[in-house]
Amino acid sequence: MARALALALRGVALAHPNPIVGAVLVKKHRVIGEGFHVYDNRDHAEIVALKKAGKKVRGATLYVTLEPCCTLGRTGPCTKAIIAAGVKRVVAAMQDPNPTVAGKGLAELRRAGLRVTTGVCEEEARRHNDDFAKWILTRLPLVTLKTALTLDGQIAERAGSVTWITGEASRDAVQHIRHAADAILTGIGTVLADNPRLTDRTGEPRRRKLLRAVIDSRLRMPVKSKLVKSAQDDLVILTTQSLDSPKARALVRAGAEVVQLSAKRSHVDLHAVLRELGQRQILNLLLEAGAELNGAALQAGIVDKMILFYAPKIMGAGGVPLAHIPSRGLAKSPALKNLSLQRYGPDFVVQGYFHDVYRYHRTRRKN
């Protein structure tokens, strides 16, 4: 199963809007076939492994990170192919998070006489596809707030300034986080202060361009910004302003897409942002923003996950905090759960979840 999980990760940025899945076929203690899912190649991981194993597959055990599908979609049901090939046992890390099919594929395999085991390395498999689970249950993306900060919680020396806080190893790790995302979201304040490109610079293959989304309620986006100048069908500006305004037309002529969304207290409604991106099959949304948008996202309750890169530094008074929260604070004081800790050079990273995305229900779409 560990090998299957490693294979699944090779589908990062290549499998969405499908889940990432890895599969390994074992017979007489030897691997006879393995595979992972790539959306454009159509075949699911199990089918890739079966094809590689060929005639040797009869009597083998299949290890797969997600319950095999039993429905007809872009491909035929994997369960039927597994049964027809003569696999004798299936070990699945987890059930399909889609409630309309969850458990049905495993039940079909059992009815055909196969031995079925589930729950092996389940937690790791669930983390692999927490974005898919969130989207399939709500049609909204998983929102990850990522930031770099000092030990005293500062993200910049002063408002509007560019401050390098973490080291090279952390910045390299951030690129891999971007690579796993379908879209990156920031606010116009960050654009005006940093003039970023917000690109995936790993050089690794991806099926879809990283969508760069900017919340810009009043359309202050400079036409000559790096984001606009580098736009190639991968920049969307989310605003409350009319699409017929001169600025909106200028941005569209320059290559950006401008989308008008509903307003909430004179700002773009963040729930409307998630609905818009979810309709575009954005499963994994990375929030890289400043204190204002971070605070608004936390207040709105849309953040599912946080990744905090801490540098061993103290900035002191006058710095910019992680999030600007009004004096009344958050309606509820959320606590991060399922925490993990990792080192990148002199920095350390805290990662955790506000929400168990596997408990979302489709009715949450109404938010």
Side-chain angles (χ1 to χ4, degrees):
M1 188 60 77
R3 174 61 180 166
L5 287 164
L7 285 167
L9 291 176
R10 294 172 64 180
V12 167
L14 298 173
H16 283 178
N18 285 352
I20 62 170
V21 182
V24 177
L25 279 163
V26 176
K27 187 175 182 180
K28 295 181 180 179
H29 308 292
R30 298 184 65 181
V31 173
I32 60 171
E34 60 183 29
F36 61 96
H37 178 54
V38 174
Y39 186 87
D40 288 341
N41 292 349
R42 301 182 71 89
D43 281 348
H44 290 181
E46 303 94 314
I47 304 303
V48 175
L50 288 171
K51 287 182 176 179
K52 288 184 177 179
K55 296 180 180 179
K56 295 182 289 185
V57 71
R58 185 162 298 278
T61 295
L62 171 67
Y63 294 86
V64 62
T65 60
L66 184 69
E67 174 182 2
C69 69
C70 61
T71 57
L72 180 64
R74 295 173 70 239
T75 64
C78 288
T79 49
K80 296 192 183 306
I82 292 167
I83 294 167
V87 172
K88 71 173 183 180
R89 183 184 179 212
V90 172
V91 182
M94 59 176 285
Q95 284 191 356
D96 194 313
N98 187 343
T100 63
V101 297
K104 293 182 178 180
L106 300 175
E108 182 177 337
L109 295 173
R110 288 189 176 103
R111 287 195 298 271
L114 280 71
R115 292 162 48 208
V116 175
T117 303
T118 60
V120 177
C121 301
E122 181 175 12
E123 187 60 30
E124 186 174 352
R126 284 161 66 95
R127 295 286 74 85
H128 276 192
N129 282 307
D130 51 11
D131 47 14
F132 173 75
K134 169 77 181 290
W135 186 78
I136 203 68
L137 292 168
T138 67
R139 287 301 190 266
L140 301 174
L142 178 89
V143 179
T144 300
L145 190 162
K146 187 281 302 174
T147 195
L149 63 168
T150 59
L151 294 177
D152 54 344
Q154 312 297 311
I155 63 173
E157 288 182 342
R158 61 185 182 277
S161 69
V162 178
T163 306
W164 290 107
I165 293 177
T166 52
E168 185 177 345
S170 291
R171 292 196 287 273
D172 182 65
V174 167
Q175 288 302 315
H176 285 87
I177 293 171
R178 285 185 182 180
H179 180 69
D182 298 317
I184 187 167
L185 177 68
T186 196
I188 187 60
T190 297
V191 175
L192 295 176
D194 298 352
N195 194 21
R197 287 189 176 87
L198 299 180
T199 52
D200 171 6
R201 296 190 286 276
T202 61
E204 297 176 5
R206 56 183 309 130
R207 191 178 79 82
R208 302 185 290 183
K209 294 178 181 178
L210 177 66
L211 180 67
R212 300 172 296 169
V214 180
I215 294 179
D216 184 7
S217 298
R218 292 180 285 158
L219 276 187
R220 295 185 289 156
M221 172 71 77
V223 175
K224 294 185 178 181
S225 65
K226 291 178 181 178
L227 279 170
V228 176
K229 290 175 71 174
S230 63
Q232 294 182 335
D233 298 321
D234 60 352
L235 174 63
V236 58
I237 301 170
L238 307 163
T239 185
T240 61
Q241 303 300 301
S242 170
L243 302 184
D244 292 328
S245 68
K247 184 60 176 292
R249 291 198 297 268
L251 288 167
V252 170
R253 285 195 301 270
E257 179 184 1
V258 181
V259 175
Q260 184 181 20
L261 296 177
S262 58
K264 191 170 185 179
R265 299 186 185 94
S266 301
H267 297 286
V268 172
D269 183 348
L270 294 181
H271 291 291
V273 170
L274 295 196
R275 289 193 293 270
E276 172 68 26
L277 296 178
Q279 289 171 5
R280 297 169 183 245
Q281 295 188 330
I282 298 299
L283 279 59
N284 188 320
L285 176 63
L286 181 63
L287 177 60
E288 286 195 28
E292 295 295 337
L293 184 51
N294 285 346
L298 289 167
Q299 278 192 292
I302 66 168
V303 178
D304 296 298
K305 179 179 178 182
M306 291 188 77
I307 303 178
L308 305 174
F309 284 79
Y310 280 94
K313 302 174 182 178
I314 299 293
M315 191 170 291
V320 179
L322 182 153
H324 281 148
I325 306 292
S327 57
R328 66 180 181 274
L330 300 174
K332 294 181 180 179
S333 180
L336 286 174
K337 300 177 181 178
N338 298 319
L339 292 174
S340 64
L341 185 66
Q342 194 167 355
R343 285 282 301 273
Y344 288 100
D347 308 324
F348 66 94
V349 182
V350 176
Q351 178 174 302
Y353 291 79
F354 285 127
H355 307 131
D356 180 352
V357 297
Y358 287 88
R359 293 185 179 181
Y360 273 101
H361 190 272
R362 288 179 180 274
T363 56
R364 294 290 290 273
R365 290 192 207 174
K366 297 179 182 178
N367 284 346

